[in-house]
Amino acid sequence: MRVAIIGTGYVGLTTGVCLAFMGHTVSCLDSDEAKIKALWEGKIPIFEPFLEEVFHEALVNLTFTSTYAEAIPEAEVVFIAVGTPPTPSGAPNLEFLSQAARSIGQHITRDFVVVVNKSTVPIGSGNWVDSLLREAVASRADRSAVQFAVASNPEFLREGSALHDSLYPDRIVIGADEPRALEVLYTLYRPILDQTFTPPNFLPRPETVGAVPLLSTDLASAELIKYAANAFLALKISFINEIGLVAERVGANISEVGRGIGLDSRIGPRFLSAGIGWGGSCFGKDTAALIATAGEYGLHLPIVEAAKKINSRQRDRVVEKLLNELKILKGRTVGLLGLAFKPNTDDLREAPAIEIAQKLIDRGVRVKAHDPIAMEKFEQVYGKMGVQLCQNAEQVVEDCDAVVLVTEWNDYRELDWETLAKKMRAPLILDGRHTLDREKLTRAGVRYVSLS
Ligand code: UGA
């Protein structure tokens, strides 16, 4: 099938590359001409494991453009995957979405086109996009030839495992009020639903993956599924962090508590890792948007609100712990291991490291940091913050009064603490992710402290 994708961020680019890998002809559109030029040159603008490899395998089916007149007329399916950044009120900014809808309406030519909201958009956006498209089509002389339907196809991929999640998803959700739209998207996703594609050899199909469930709903339900899924995952993390507070007081081990409750199949083991809490562009934004939408209907969401508060408290607890250990923060040197909001990405949006670094700097602490991938981006965006970037973990720990493990990159699990401890002014590590081996560190003479 012929597909156009508007927006080449994480969601748009991964979707485009995977659909091209399935054999569809995909045109990726982005208003950022520099990005389009880079894509033509085979340069991927984000760090995402395997994206480059799948991109190169699918290249024969991919084109890139900044022009709607090039991407849209041939397309049978148009995905909108533009950014919806948060506004100060928590409601997302829909400017890019409305621009995309209007431009699509001006350029669709097929007798039936499915326009799919893939961006995370407020409930009701499907209807709104439909009306914007209708207005744009109505203003055209050739309007009678054009028919379209709007669908919602929320994305559940995680940064850092975006390709795995797209090729082997837990489910595909399609919200559409028009049955023909569902049929088109079913055909489009068939290789993934039936798992009939030949997997790339670097991303083999896990043995447990069989046919992927397709959930077909109305538009509003699909839109709400996305928000509810992210809110639930976010509150699962906040729940374990709240229990972590109790664990700390009673002397229980929160990792074991997490494992113990997660083995109950009704609860499930994932998203129960306690620590600094969630970051990234999705959980904070989507929980805020859900609260804002509920507010429009006069509703309060105390559970979601509490999840946000607990998450933000975890950042404060890092500073409290350091204060408790070091007694005086002013003039101290603290090293941060990890800047990205999670391992295997260079994404710094709402990364806990940024907030923690700022809180420490505000208290007169000298902050050093390292990240295996995200340092260049950090320098570009937060270069003026006053964090001293180091080439490796060894440089970070040198002359530190404490080191905080912020992001659980694999590289940090294998550090030689016997050697590192000797370089520190005081061998103290605050493990913000319950990821290091307490016994090994203690044997190496390091005082090990965790958040719970
Ligand atoms: C999240 C969802 O997991 C995806 O399903 C969704 O598609 C995506 O948002 C989105 O809406 O676009 P993502 O933000 O990429 O994906 O990353 P996650 O793996 O969910 O991690 C989010 C944050 O939670 C990270 O900072 C991570 O360190 C933290 N986390 C995760 C914990 O603190 N504890 C855990 O047990 C799991």
Side-chain angles (χ1 to χ4, degrees), residues 11 120 155-159 226 230 233 237 270-274 277-283 286 341-342 352 408 433:
V11 169
T120 303
E155 183 51 66
F156 303 107
L157 64 80
R158 293 160 301 167
E159 289 182 24
K226 170 68 194 198
N230 271 359
L233 292 169
I237 300 168
R270 294 161 78 188
F271 281 69
L272 284 176
S273 300
W278 80 70
S281 67
C282 304
F283 287 174
D286 292 355
F341 85 95
K342 62 184 274 193
E408 67 279 32
R433 296 287 181 185

Side-chain angles (χ1 to χ4, degrees), residues 6 31 60 84 129 138 198-199 202 215 249 251 348 374 407 419-420 443:
I6 317 299
S31 54
V60 57
T84 52
V129 165
T198 307
F202 43 83
L215 180 68
R249 289 297 168 91
L348 292 162
T407 316
T419 314
L420 293 184
R443 272 201 307 278

Side-chain angles (χ1 to χ4, degrees), residues 30-310:
D30 202 295
S31 54
D32 182 341
E33 289 178 17
K35 238 179 176 183
I36 292 301
K37 185 168 173 281
L39 286 166
W40 273 120
E41 288 163 2
K43 292 184 200 140
I44 308 286
I46 46 178
F47 174 82
E48 179 61 42
F50 304 119
L51 181 55
E52 195 166 344
E53 288 86 339
V54 182
F55 175 93
H56 286 292
E57 291 211 4
L59 205 49
V60 57
N61 292 328
L62 281 166
T63 51
F64 312 100
T65 181
S66 288
T67 315
Y68 280 83
E70 265 178 44
I72 304 298
E74 292 295 307
E76 298 158 83
V77 182
V78 181
F79 282 96
I80 306 179
V82 295
T84 52
T87 60
S89 73
N93 176 350
L94 301 178
E95 200 187 313
F96 303 122
L97 181 71
S98 76
Q99 273 169 13
R102 287 202 180 90
S103 307
I104 294 165
Q106 283 156 12
H107 292 95
I108 42 179
T109 54
R110 292 252 178 184
D111 51 6
F112 185 65
V113 183
V114 183
V115 178
V116 189
N117 265 340
K118 192 99 178 133
S119 307
T120 303
V121 289
I123 298 142
S125 296
N127 293 344
W128 182 61
V129 165
D130 187 85
S131 73
L132 293 175
L133 284 164
R134 236 160 260 292
E135 263 173 44
V137 171
S139 65
R140 287 166 48 177
D142 57 349
R143 56 187 169 268
S144 57
V146 177
Q147 281 190 48
F148 65 86
V150 173
S152 162
N153 171 217
E155 183 51 66
F156 303 107
L157 64 80
R158 293 160 301 167
E159 289 182 24
S161 39
L163 277 295
H164 173 277
D165 293 350
S166 301
L167 296 176
Y168 311 116
D170 287 346
R171 78 300 209 185
I172 289 180
V173 174
I174 295 175
D177 295 338
E178 154 93 58
R180 260 201 300 173
L182 176 64
E183 274 166 40
V184 170
L185 293 179
Y186 178 72
T187 310
L188 183 81
Y189 279 125
R190 205 154 174 182
I192 296 178
L193 289 166
D194 297 346
Q195 288 289 304
T196 46
F197 66 90
T198 307
N201 49 21
F202 43 83
L203 255 177
R205 180 176 292 122
E207 274 173 22
T208 47
V209 172
V212 172
L214 170 74
L215 180 68
S216 132
T217 70
D218 57 276
L219 270 172
S221 302
E223 290 167 348
L224 183 54
I225 284 169
K226 170 68 194 198
Y227 282 110
N230 271 359
F232 191 82
L233 292 169
L235 66 93
K236 217 174 160 187
I237 300 168
S238 283
F239 175 79
I240 199 68
N241 282 332
E242 187 169 78
I243 297 296
L245 281 176
V246 185
E248 183 175 55
R249 289 297 168 91
V250 303
N253 178 325
I254 192 62
S255 303
E256 280 170 17
V257 173
R259 263 195 293 280
I261 62 173
L263 282 167
D264 183 328
S265 59
R266 293 169 301 174
I267 297 174
R270 294 161 78 188
F271 281 69
L272 284 176
S273 300
I276 286 173
W278 80 70
S281 67
C282 304
F283 287 174
K285 174 169 82 82
D286 292 355
T287 46
L290 187 57
I291 290 167
T293 301
E296 286 169 20
Y297 291 86
L299 297 170
H300 290 289
L301 303 183
I303 296 181
V304 184
E305 280 166 13
K308 285 181 89 64
K309 275 197 201 123
I310 291 165

